[in-house]
Amino acid sequence: MTVRRDIKEPARGRPDLVIGREELFGSARDQLTRGGSVLLHGPAGIGKSTVLRALAADYGDAAHTVLRCSATESESHLPFLALADLFGLVVDEISDKLPTAQRTALESALTGRGESTLQRDGLALRLAVLSALRALATAGPVLLVADDMQWLDSASAELLGFAARRLGDTPVQLLCAVRTEGQEYDRHLRASPPDTLAVRLNPLSRAQVSALLDHRGYTDLPRSTVREIHRTSGGNPLFALEIGRALGENPAPPRPGEPLPVPTSLRALVLSRLDMLSAEARRTLLVASAGARPTLALLHAAGRENAEAETARAAELGLLATEPEGPAVRFAHPLISAALYAEAPAQERRAAHAALSTAASDPIERARNLALATTGTDPEVAARLAEAAALARDRGAPSVAASLGLLAARHAPPDGAPAPDEHRLQAAEDAIIAGEVDLARDIAREVLTRATVPADRIRAWEVVIEAAGQALGDVDAVFPQALADAGDDPRLLALVHYHLAWRKLIVEGDFSEARQEAAHAAELAARGGDRRTELMALSFQSSTETLMGHPNAPATIKRALKEPQDPYVACHHNGVGAARFRWLLMSDQLAEARTTITALLREVRRRGMVESEVHFQRFLAETELRSGHCGRALDLSRESLRLARDSGIGLGASAMLASLAEASGGDLDRALALAREAAVRAEEDGDHMYLSRALAALGHAQLVAGDAAGAVGSLRRVRELEAGLRITDPARGRWHGDLAEALVRMDEPGEAQDVIDQAREHALRLGRESVLAVLDRAEALVRAARGDHEAALARLTSVQDRLAKLGYGLEEARAAFALARLRTGRPGPTSYEEAARLFRRCRALPWLRQVEEAAAQGAAEQVAAPPRTPAADALDGLAAMERQVAALVMEGATNREIAARLFISVKTVEATLTRVYRKLGIRSRVDIVRLAAGRHAK
């Protein structure tokens, strides 16, 4: 199809959302904007056509003419078909611009009359296509869009390749897509213009598959199911959507161990080659698909005597990937294994699992296969599965443990011990640890429909509450029911009151009430002999007291650290270790804090505790950021955010910390977007605690971006929120220095000093040395704004040294930068070089750019400065700030220009000028200008 831009078209909407391809899309769009061509390539279903359409829609308006073709396999034998699609509608327009021989050959090829062939009219046809494109380009740029180039008929492909290689500077661009396996796109690239960018589309990540499914309306799928979709589809968007559609049409989700439904459309893609295998070879592949890690040795042990020959034949047909260096039997694509398993009759699947239940060497695999080979209830199978679940838990595989627990519940007799619901509750708790909160919540809700034992009901309610994450307001109705179920049992009441403490903090934003609830929970747990809940409650109480600046915090932490300890609580993100880490970080013990959080992160990874891993990754990033290791903090925060998006856990908190890291060492636009995302999430969840942190991150990003007014607005709200929350420890959010600095830039030194004084009072009480140093840096800016430059310089010099000794590299660099700005225009060298060195050491790129801009501006001002005149000696009796202001007036600068260049307010300029007039015995700016001209006021 051909679209002419001189013909009015109806308004067109924005291109379809391209999930997971934003960076790739941007690179291709930039290439087209530069006048180059783009070749998209990748396997079937990977999304090439989607990206092609989006690029054509986004960039097509820049072209005067758009030529399109989309080939199909069934028509690839028809010569010149693609050529007819491209030029059919414009041939009349360009035919009179071609030489007679070329025109005749082209018209014959397009219409089918005259029996034109490449052998007969080869040169004329080749030149005709080249001339046609050049003729179209005389009216404006031409964009040629070709999809599925692998099916292009050979004649059209040859002609287009000939023209593409010879277009030179002619404004003709190609935007093409071709199906490839691996990297074999070279022959298509050789048929493209020399400046063509080859872009490979790779499989989507699990988070991207989840976003794609959400975008297409499949929003109710549990994360465990999304994980299976991603694994089965291999990250292929077409396959993932087809599986999602099949699940959407099936009201009953697959049970543990059951295969995902593979739609008929996909089965046809992957199973057609199975017909070329013998029945025995298909059974061998079925055993391989049923195994978790199939090898030739395993297949032999499972009774497949001819496994080598049968797998070799399957590899020849492209069903298996060849592994010359190892014993593994690996399917060429996970979908082949899934489709093969789904296609097999249930009896054959059970036979395969029965063979593997004795052949597998791993006890977990033996138990899983035994369960899938068994129908009905069987207490021995249930017991084997429970033992395997415990082993998986010890190995740090809670997701596997949850799956095994559900299988155990299926095989456990209703009147057995443990009962099926006990297996289900353990599976739900394992799912929570694994970060599969949707699965955990669904299991708990199912148990609650029939459970009557109070302890079972409280366990189920606890899972429901924990699955809500930060959105505790969504489960408000749970708490009265849980209290009623707990009765007067102190152990059960302790669990409920522990979660009520979190509700008081997050939903109501009341630190004092939360602390009291936690203390009550700890007391109840101690009375009931539940050491785990007691330790969790004490950890929560100590963290709350730390954030409040409560004097009991150190004593509560000591109580929480007393023996006996619980290994789970010791490494939980709300446990004793995390509470101690927070205390160390807020007490400026950065090295010990890093050691502590690194050990905790290692342990939760070993245990497979996904939610704790998300938070500890973020805690480590925060520690590195405080230490001035911005590059390391950026990597860690991005990984934490990726993990949070993948698991759906801690998204707001991870976005908040990622914003701080981006503002310090990455991209400011991304920092602003992440902070706003974190704030919106906190608002939606009703989470007062993280709302203040998100707004503090937003204010910091706005300050770094030069938006002082925006920073003041965000940070004033943080001040109000924390006052309402009764948070008094300024080390919690460390936003006070940023607010004071932004207020100075907004000509509000009085309010800035008030912020500093209030924060300093608490920082002195709590011994927060780094906070005091940052507050002193902010106060130096206030003094400079009021004209007391000498005191400001002295304080900043002291601050830089103190921050360096404490190990706060980024804050040290900020002090050096402020010092350099104040020294600008004064006799002697500035310290921009020192600030740049320190920011470079931190890899603080946004700050480094600011230093470079300020240094360039300072150098330009020095070059432009007028030579000193004898009359200017009259200024020597003035203070430093007064001398700078007077000198700029002599240059003709306005009060606003002076304020901008000296980083002070207009009011400060006016007050300084009043003092200058009095000291020099003059009355106006005109008299200063006369001094500059060497004349004295009369």
Side-chain angles (χ1 to χ4, degrees):
M1 181 180 70
T2 305
V3 178
R4 294 302 310 270
R5 294 294 169 224
D6 52 2
I7 300 176
K8 188 174 179 60
E9 292 184 280
R12 184 175 56 205
R14 297 183 63 185
D16 290 339
L17 182 65
V18 183
I19 300 291
R21 309 295 192 193
E22 294 80 7
E23 185 175 348
L24 174 152
F25 185 90
S27 298
R29 179 68 170 77
D30 291 345
Q31 170 73 358
L32 292 170
T33 302
R34 290 191 294 267
S37 296
V38 173
L39 174 68
L40 306 170
H41 66 99
I46 203 67
K48 301 180 298 297
S49 296
T50 300
V51 175
L52 184 86
R53 286 193 299 269
L55 282 169
D58 191 53
Y59 180 73
D61 288 333
H64 181 269
T65 304
V66 178
L67 308 176
R68 299 177 187 270
C69 70
S70 182
T72 63
E73 184 177 11
S74 61
E75 299 172 339
S76 60
H77 65 286
L78 300 174
F80 307 121
L81 185 60
L83 202 67
D85 286 342
L86 291 169
F87 292 104
L89 297 181
V90 295
V91 65
D92 293 338
E93 175 187 344
I94 58 175
S95 60
D96 60 347
K97 300 177 182 177
L98 304 180
T100 303
Q102 294 180 24
R103 180 171 64 250
T104 301
L106 182 60
E107 289 177 348
S108 177
L110 296 180
T111 62
R113 296 190 297 269
E115 299 181 355
S116 178
T117 65
L118 278 179
Q119 288 73 28
R120 175 182 170 184
D121 303 313
L123 181 58
L125 267 177
R126 288 174 171 83
L127 293 175
V129 172
L130 179 59
S131 299
L133 290 172
R134 286 173 173 165
L136 288 170
T138 58
V142 176
L143 177 66
L144 191 154
V145 181
D147 198 5
D148 281 320
M149 283 188 69
Q150 73 277 0
W151 305 130
L152 222 63
D153 64 273
S154 58
S156 297
E158 166 62 25
L159 293 171
L160 290 174
F162 176 87
R165 292 189 295 270
R166 290 164 175 79
L167 285 169
D169 295 332
T170 307
V172 176
Q173 297 169 264
L174 272 66
L175 172 58
C176 309
V178 61
R179 180 187 302 179
T180 58
E181 298 294 338
Q183 298 290 329
E184 66 277 16
Y185 58 91
D186 290 353
R187 65 186 181 90
H188 299 286
L189 196 58
R190 287 193 294 270
S192 303
D195 61 349
T196 299
L197 173 68
V199 178
R200 179 168 179 80
L201 276 71
N202 291 313
L204 299 180
S205 68
R206 192 200 310 180
Q208 290 166 344
V209 166
S210 178
L212 178 65
L213 292 167
D214 286 345
H215 179 62
R216 295 300 179 90
Y218 307 120
T219 55
D220 297 327
L221 298 173
R223 289 190 175 273
S224 55
T225 303
V226 173
R227 182 191 63 199
E228 284 301 304
I229 292 175
H230 177 257
R231 185 190 64 79
T232 303
S233 68
N236 185 296
L238 173 64
F239 298 170
L241 287 172
E242 285 295 298
I243 297 171
R245 181 182 58 78
L247 282 168
E249 293 172 353
N250 186 357
R255 295 192 302 176
E258 289 185 346
L260 290 176
V262 181
T264 305
S265 58
L266 296 186
R267 291 190 192 190
L269 284 175
V270 299
L271 296 179
S272 58
R273 284 168 286 182
L274 283 172
D275 293 337
M276 303 175 70
L277 288 175
S278 67
E280 287 301 310
R282 289 187 62 157
R283 291 192 186 96
T284 297
L285 290 192
L286 176 60
V287 174
S289 71
R293 293 176 295 276
T295 62
L296 287 172
L298 178 65
L299 294 177
H300 278 299
R304 309 313 302 168
E305 298 177 354
N306 297 317
E308 284 91 348
E310 290 163 350
T311 55
R313 175 59 178 154
E316 290 175 6
L317 295 172
L319 294 166
L320 295 179
T322 56
E323 296 281 356
E325 300 298 327
V329 175
R330 186 167 62 85
F331 285 89
H333 192 282
L335 191 62
I336 297 174
S337 174
L340 173 65
Y341 188 89
E343 189 77 5
Q347 184 176 355
E348 289 188 16
R349 291 206 298 260
R350 286 196 296 270
H353 286 297
L356 289 169
S357 68
T358 57
S361 59
D362 184 81
I364 292 177
E365 275 306 294
R366 287 200 301 271
R368 185 184 74 88
N369 281 291
L370 177 61
L372 296 174
T374 306
T375 58
T377 59
D378 187 323
E380 183 179 347
V381 172
R384 289 267 303 273
L385 286 163
E387 292 171 3
L391 181 57
R393 207 173 297 122
D394 290 342
R395 288 182 179 178
S399 178
V400 174
S403 177
L404 292 168
L406 290 175
L407 286 171
R410 187 196 305 179
H411 291 287
D415 55 351
D421 277 349
E422 192 166 339
H423 289 296
R424 291 188 181 95
L425 286 170
Q426 182 61 64
E429 291 164 354
D430 287 329
I432 283 286
I433 294 172
E436 298 179 4
V437 293
D438 296 333
L439 175 63
R441 182 182 56 247
D442 291 345
I443 296 170
R445 291 286 188 188
E446 180 192 351
V447 170
L448 284 165
T449 60
R450 56 178 173 268
T452 57
V453 178
D456 288 348
R457 292 188 63 79
I458 292 300
R459 283 180 74 184
W461 286 129
E462 190 175 17
V463 169
V464 171
I465 293 168
E466 290 192 5
Q470 299 296 110
L472 286 179
D474 293 347
V475 292
D476 256 352
V478 165
F479 293 101
Q481 299 176 67
L483 283 170
D485 285 334
D488 57 0
D489 187 328
R491 290 175 63 92
L492 301 182
L493 284 170
L495 286 167
V496 180
H497 280 281
Y498 170 71
H499 290 292
L500 277 170
W502 277 103
R503 186 194 171 280
K504 289 286 185 183
L505 179 63
I506 291 175
V507 178
E508 297 182 16
D510 193 325
F511 271 67
S512 180
E513 287 288 332
R515 173 182 172 273
Q516 292 177 29
E517 281 284 3
H520 184 42
E523 179 188 345
L524 287 167
R527 195 191 316 161
D530 182 358
R531 182 60 173 165
R532 173 173 289 192
T533 302
E534 181 187 8
L535 287 171
M536 291 294 289
L538 286 171
S539 301
F540 178 84
Q541 182 184 344
S542 66
S543 294
T544 306
E545 289 172 347
T546 298
L547 296 175
M548 293 173 67
H550 196 284
N552 289 356
T556 307
I557 290 176
K558 286 181 181 178
R559 285 178 61 199
L561 289 170
K562 283 183 179 178
E563 296 294 339
Q565 285 293 313
D566 182 289
Y568 173 78
V569 177
C571 64
H572 191 274
H573 59 279
N574 290 323
V576 178
R580 180 171 179 271
F581 161 77
R582 291 188 188 94
W583 174 259
L584 291 170
L585 191 67
M586 294 175 71
S587 302
D588 298 325
Q589 300 178 59
L590 295 182
E592 194 171 351
R594 181 186 292 106
T595 300
T596 299
I597 198 62
T598 301
L600 287 169
L601 182 58
R602 187 184 307 116
E603 178 63 15
V604 298
R605 282 175 172 164
R606 187 188 70 80
R607 290 171 170 263
M609 298 169 67
V610 173
E611 183 172 8
S612 294
E613 182 182 356
V614 171
H615 290 296
F616 287 162
Q617 189 105 352
R618 174 170 56 85
F619 290 169
L620 181 56
E622 185 174 2
T623 307
E624 298 294 354
L625 193 58
R626 298 269 180 92
S627 304
H629 305 151
C630 297
R632 172 77 172 142
L634 191 61
D635 292 341
L636 287 166
S637 65
R638 285 175 174 173
E639 175 60 21
S640 173
L641 185 59
R642 184 202 64 75
L643 188 59
R645 293 199 193 286
D646 196 29
S647 63
I649 295 171
L651 274 168
S654 294
M656 175 275 297
L657 201 281
S659 170
L660 290 172
E662 292 285 352
S664 299
D667 180 84
L668 279 176
D669 289 338
R670 182 169 168 78
L672 292 165
L674 286 169
R676 292 188 176 103
E677 176 189 339
V680 168
R681 284 190 178 277
E683 294 265 26
E684 290 175 348
D685 291 344
D687 185 347
H688 294 77
M689 185 172 65
Y690 267 110
L691 177 59
S692 66
R693 294 295 307 272
L695 290 172
L698 177 59
H700 178 74
Q702 290 167 324
L703 178 69
V704 178
D707 180 9
V712 167
S714 298
L715 295 174
R716 276 176 175 162
R717 192 175 175 202
V718 175
R719 192 182 187 192
E720 294 170 3
L721 283 169
E722 293 205 353
L725 291 168
R726 300 182 187 177
I727 296 174
T728 59
D729 193 336
R732 187 246 183 182
R734 296 177 178 264
W735 49 266
H736 311 77
D738 284 346
L739 176 55
E741 183 173 340
L743 286 166
V744 169
R745 294 188 190 182
M746 291 297 294
D747 193 26
E748 297 288 350
E751 185 181 346
Q753 189 64 54
D754 181 59
V755 170
I756 293 166
D757 291 342
Q758 286 189 19
R760 181 180 283 130
E761 178 185 351
H762 295 296
L764 285 168
R765 174 174 61 85
L766 297 167
R768 304 300 192 224
E769 292 298 328
S770 65
V771 173
L772 288 168
V774 170
L775 292 174
D776 283 350
R777 184 186 69 207
E779 188 170 43
L781 300 178
V782 173
R783 292 194 177 191
R786 289 173 169 169
D788 193 354
H789 266 53
E790 299 301 331
L793 289 169
R795 177 156 296 197
L796 282 173
T797 302
S798 169
V799 163
Q800 183 180 343
D801 182 59
R802 287 156 57 195
L803 288 168
K805 289 178 180 177
L806 288 168
Y808 284 77
L810 184 58
E811 299 294 355
E812 175 195 357
R814 288 182 64 178
F817 188 22
L819 197 60
R821 279 174 158 169
L822 288 185
R823 284 177 175 162
T824 301
R826 295 171 60 85
T830 69
S831 56
Y832 281 125
E833 296 85 356
E834 171 70 359
R837 182 186 68 80
L838 292 173
F839 281 130
R840 197 174 292 112
R841 183 184 69 184
C842 295
R843 286 184 58 192
L845 302 182
W847 287 105
L848 185 59
R849 284 190 288 270
Q850 288 192 39
V851 173
E852 291 170 348
E853 291 170 3
Q857 181 181 354
E861 289 174 359
Q862 285 186 356
V863 171
R868 184 174 177 84
T869 65
D873 292 338
L875 304 183
D876 287 343
L878 302 178
M881 170 64 81
E882 295 164 350
R883 190 164 53 246
Q884 285 180 275
V885 170
L888 290 171
V889 169
M890 290 177 178
E891 296 176 17
T894 66
N895 286 3
R896 186 167 298 279
E897 290 169 343
I898 295 170
R901 290 170 70 175
L902 297 182
F903 299 97
I904 58 177
S905 67
V906 175
K907 289 183 180 178
T908 301
V909 174
E910 293 169 351
T912 304
L913 279 174
T914 300
R915 293 195 299 274
V916 169
Y917 298 158
R918 185 176 64 251
K919 288 183 178 182
L920 295 181
I922 59 179
R923 291 174 294 183
S924 68
R925 295 170 61 93
V926 175
D927 293 332
I928 296 180
V929 175
R930 287 173 178 166
L931 279 176
R935 296 192 299 272
H936 296 282
K938 300 298 183 183

